Amino acid sequence: DTGVSQDPRHKITKRGQNVTFRCDPISEHNRLYWYRQTLGQGPEFLTYFQNEAQLEKSRLLSDRFSAERPKGSFSTLEIQRTEQGDSAMYLCASSFSRGPGANVLTFGAGSRLTVL
Amino acid sequence: AQTVTQSQPEMSVQEAETVTLSCTYDTSESNYYLFWYKQPPSRQMILVIRQEAYKQQNATENRFSVNFQKAAKSFSLKISDSQLGDTAMYFCAFEDQKLVFGQGTRLTINP
């Protein structure tokens, strides 16, 4: 297993466009998390899944953001009608929900979004 | 809601010195996990060390150790014999079904 993969690594878009990010977690992990990180700040939680169920969404996540994990494997994060304030690094992480490795998150390299 | 505070935005030490990064948190829970993660420049976040709150013994991983003071809700990270490769952002995190991160400390190890 090569770890958590995120695609694309970089995305530049114009304000008002829609963007979609994909995350492929470690295959054995049943939990998948999305975070947003701006320069020099700690990651902010957006949402997480256990298998295909979305268990929690942050109040930071406006209606323009939607995340899915349809088969409990990869996940997508879509941002509609992007705004300049959406510019950030979007981090995906995965983990087990039980056992000695529970809640030890393995992070991907992130998808950097720039909204012009 | 749980909060995590890192009061040192930046620190800088010489190679081979020992450095301690501070972290405090707020929770009403009695059993939980605390973490330190490292994010090197332009690289992904990796786990440094984990502490279970019900364990009184402080966690240690090679040159990295923690000082966990449950009553004071304090969780500091000590890096001994610091190396150039330790240069990174360090984030303290509290586990509450998901991780809640502090603002980070930018650590620079100088040759």
Side-chain angles (χ1 to χ4, degrees), chain B residues 46-64:
Chain B
I46 56 175
L47 176 69
V48 175
I49 200 164
R50 178 175 74 159
Q51 174 77 43
E52 299 174 78
Y54 69 87
K55 287 188 176 179
Q56 293 186 346
Q57 185 173 9
N58 290 322
T60 299
E61 289 287 342
N62 300 313
R63 298 182 295 107
F64 299 87

Side-chain angles (χ1 to χ4, degrees), chain A residues 49-101:
Chain A
F49 295 83
Q50 182 159 311
N51 301 313
E52 64 275 8
Q54 188 172 20
L55 296 189
E56 187 175 345
K57 274 178 72 168
S58 167
R59 292 177 215 172
L60 294 175
L61 218 59
S62 76
D63 292 345
R64 297 184 297 104
F65 287 71
S66 62
E68 294 183 342
R69 195 183 183 198
K71 297 181 181 178
S73 56
F74 74 92
S75 174
T76 57
L77 176 69
E78 181 184 18
I79 309 173
Q80 296 182 324
R81 305 181 303 281
T82 53
E83 301 173 356
Q84 288 184 328
D86 298 331
S87 295
M89 179 75 85
Y90 290 85
L91 299 174
C92 177
S94 66
S95 76
F96 295 107
S97 60
R98 295 183 184 180

Side-chain angles (χ1 to χ4, degrees), chain B residues 60-87:
Chain B
T60 299
E61 289 287 342
N62 300 313
R63 298 182 295 107
F64 299 87
S65 62
V66 299
N67 183 3
F68 174 49
Q69 303 288 329
K70 191 173 184 179
K73 296 180 182 174
S74 169
F75 182 61
S76 61
L77 174 70
K78 185 171 84 171
I79 306 174
S80 302
D81 186 27
S82 57
Q83 301 174 358
L84 297 179
D86 295 333
T87 292

